[in-house]
């Protein structure tokens, strides 16, 4: 039987455990940052550890009433263990966007992250210590004596903390200021602060109505008298990174089909608006641009699809992912993730081929000019092997685990590259369908860009979602291609040679809004020709 312990001893033990055991990712990063070689530098790390432990002890002592403390630890320890697991396993950091990803993901994506290692990790390092603390009996003391003892312990903790941290305070400030990721790796402050910010944004009073945007939009006069209909497809990829695209010089054949398409224009310098779907997808359609974007601002007003619909286009969103994140709220939407057709459904996933199902027949029957958005599952991790049919498993061996520590980096990259190979097939099929649309008096064109990239083990970092300011290039540099049929180019006055000649210019999500409006001859005061990548290559089409 455990002997009774003084509350201030229990809080100190809990603080020491959290700082020493449940902050391993933080200490690994801190060690790499400081790179200690002298006794002074080692003393700096030790001072930081002591100060963090005592600071946390002071905070925990605020809850050092037996029922409250036990309940708090029963919540904090498992949550902290879970945060530590994901940071250690995938090399991520935790900010409000990461919390939003966790809370707003769907069950299919969440299931891919649930592994036996995670359950054991959280159970042994989170649930079990919480149970031990729950069972530890406390010394019973009169209230006045209890408060006096806690005050003395708090004063001693504060004094020691000040003594060890004041001499190195300048170094601590500069280290944490320059390396923001340190703050985003320190538990439990990282996820508590991130959750507070998420809830503050989430519960902020929503606008009474979505504000009109581009309410003056109308088609150019020349567009309204065309005898042929048009269809333009915006294919939104998922987690595709620029440097694993064969078209961008990757030494693997991940684009064998797209490489055969002579009229394809590839943009090798395309960058995303964010590092996660929840940020990037609404941003790319918002017209706000990365510097001005926030989820609240995007939700409060109309976007590109609303403007196109107002201008007279039929607009359709086809979904094979976890939702449009508000971008399609006022647009006809078809959710295909539950379509368990044998042709598209395998390994518990609806593959991206489903986005093209019946598309050719529908294009043949178009009554008005149309814009279609295809939201792809693409290369969403960590279960890369689920994202493609078996016949596209060309690069072997592959990782068949969501727990990357069980796989070699080669196996992880192989599985990822197979997803790129499959996306190449889907996009080339789409282009084939759009090319045959001319047989039905329809001009077809498309643009593809991924919502963000992906880390594949560089610097022990996996997946995506890093804060943009410190995100590696792999998470923000994305593939982007454009294709237009000859009749589409003629109808909208686009010079393909000019496009190809200007394709090395920087482009990406900030350009989508204005480029689509300009390309489709939509006139509105919110259009900015400086951000329209097609503008320099358009001329007045022949009447």
């Amino acid at each position: 039987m455990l002997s009774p312990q003084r509350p201030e001893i229990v809080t100190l033990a809990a603080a020491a455990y959290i700082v020493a055991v449940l902050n391993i990712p933080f200490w690994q990063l801190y060690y790499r940052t400081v790179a200690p070689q002298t006794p002074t530098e080692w003393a700096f790390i030790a001072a930081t550890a002591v100060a963090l432990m005592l600071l946390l002890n002071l905070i925990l002592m605020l809850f050092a009433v037996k029922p409250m403390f036990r309940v708090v630890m029963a919540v904090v320890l498992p949550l902290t263990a879970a945060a530590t697991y994901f940071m250690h396993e995938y090399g991520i950091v935790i900010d409000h966007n990461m919390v939003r990803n966790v809370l707003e993901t769907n069950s299919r994506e969440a299931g891919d992250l649930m592994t036996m290692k995670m359950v054991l990790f959280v159970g042994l390092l989170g649930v079990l210590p919480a149970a031990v603390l729950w069972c530890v009996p406390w010394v019973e003391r009169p209230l006045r004596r209890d408060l006096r003892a806690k005050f003395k312990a708090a004063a001693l903790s504060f004094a020691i903390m000040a003594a060890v941290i004041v001499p190195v305070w300048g170094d601590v400030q500069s280290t944490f200021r320059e390396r923001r990721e340190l703050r985003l790796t320190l538990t439990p402050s990282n996820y508590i602060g991130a959750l507070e910010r998420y809830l503050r944004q989430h519960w902020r009073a929503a606008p009474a109505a979505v504000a009109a945007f581009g309410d003056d939009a109308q088609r150019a006069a020349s567009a309204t008298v065309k005898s042929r209909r048009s269809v333009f497809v915006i294919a939104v990829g998922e987690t595709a990174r620029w440097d694993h695209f064969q078209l961008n010089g990757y030494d693997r054949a991940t684009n064998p089909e797209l490489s055969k398409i002579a009229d394809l224009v590839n943009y090798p310098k395309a960058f995303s608006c964010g590092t996660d779907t929840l940020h990037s997808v609404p941003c790319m359609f918002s017209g706000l641009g990365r510097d001005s974007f926030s989820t609240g601002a995007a939700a409060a007003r109309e976007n590109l699809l609303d403007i196109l619909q107002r201008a007279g286009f039929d607009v359709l969103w086809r979904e094979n992912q976890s939702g449009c994140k508000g971008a399609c709220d006022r647009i006809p939407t078809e959710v295909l993730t539950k379509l368990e057709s044998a042709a598209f459904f395998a390994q518990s996933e609806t593959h991206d081929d489903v986005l093209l199902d019946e598309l050719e027949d529908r294009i043949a029957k178009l009554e008005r000019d149309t814009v279609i958005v295809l939201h792809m599952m693409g290369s969403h991790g960590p279960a890369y092997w689920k994202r493609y049919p078996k016949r596209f498993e060309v690069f072997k061996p592959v990782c068949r685990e969501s727990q990357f520590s069980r796989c070699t980096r080669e196996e992880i990259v192989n599985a990822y590259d197979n997803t790129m190979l499959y996306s190449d097939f889907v996009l080339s099929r789409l282009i084939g369908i759009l090319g045959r649309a001319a047989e039905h008096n329809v001009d077809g064109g498309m643009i593809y860009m991924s919502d963000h990239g992906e880390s594949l083990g560089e610097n022990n970092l996996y997946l995506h979602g890093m804060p943009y300011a410190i995100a590696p290039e792999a998470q923000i540099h994305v593939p982007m291609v454009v294709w237009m049929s000859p009749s589409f180019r003629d109808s909208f006055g686009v010079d393909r040679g000019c496009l190809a000649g200007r394709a090395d210019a920087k482009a990406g999500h900030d350009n989508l809004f204005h480029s689509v409006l300009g390309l489709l001859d939509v006139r509105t005061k919110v259009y900015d020709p400086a951000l329209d990548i097609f503008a320099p290559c358009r001329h007045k089409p022949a009447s």
Side-chain angles (χ1 to χ4, degrees), residues 68-89:
M68 182 188 300
F69 183 79
R70 288 173 170 175
V71 172
V72 169
M73 288 295 97
V75 174
V76 168
L77 288 179
L79 283 178
T80 305
T84 301
Y85 169 79
F86 284 110
M87 289 189 295
H88 184 266
E89 186 72 15

Side-chain angles (χ1 to χ4, degrees), residues 21 41 81 230 309 416 440:
V21 178
E41 291 168 340
S230 67
Q309 198 165 239
Y416 179 85
H440 307 288

Side-chain angles (χ1 to χ4, degrees), residues 39 45 76-77 130 140 197 258 349 447 494 537:
I45 292 180
V76 168
L77 288 179
E140 299 294 339
R197 183 176 176 186
L258 290 178
E349 295 292 326
I447 184 170
V494 178
C537 299

Side-chain angles (χ1 to χ4, degrees), residues 199-212:
L199 293 175
R200 184 158 34 89
Q201 293 180 350
H202 189 70
W203 287 339
R204 187 176 297 159
V210 175

Side-chain angles (χ1 to χ4, degrees), residues 341-413:
S341 165
F344 312 108
F345 190 88
Q347 303 180 91
S348 77
E349 295 292 326
T350 309
H351 293 137
D352 281 334
D353 248 356
V354 72
L355 293 166
L356 308 182
D357 186 33
E358 301 180 352
L359 187 61
E360 189 159 4
D361 291 339
R362 298 172 72 161
I363 290 175
K365 298 174 183 177
L366 291 182
E367 297 180 356
R368 297 202 300 174
D369 290 350
T370 300
V371 173
I372 300 173
V373 182
L374 305 181
H375 191 194
M376 303 170 67
M377 191 61 168
S379 306
H380 198 290
Y384 303 127
W385 83 96
K386 292 183 178 180
R387 310 303 180 221
Y388 54 85
K390 183 68 175 178
R391 70 181 186 277
F392 288 90
E393 195 164 280
V394 173
F395 306 110
K396 300 178 181 180
V398 302
C399 177
R400 295 188 179 278
E401 298 276 354
S402 294
Q403 185 179 317
F404 283 165
S405 57
R406 290 183 173 178
C407 299
T408 66
R409 185 162 182 266
E410 177 190 9
E411 291 170 336
I412 295 168
V413 171

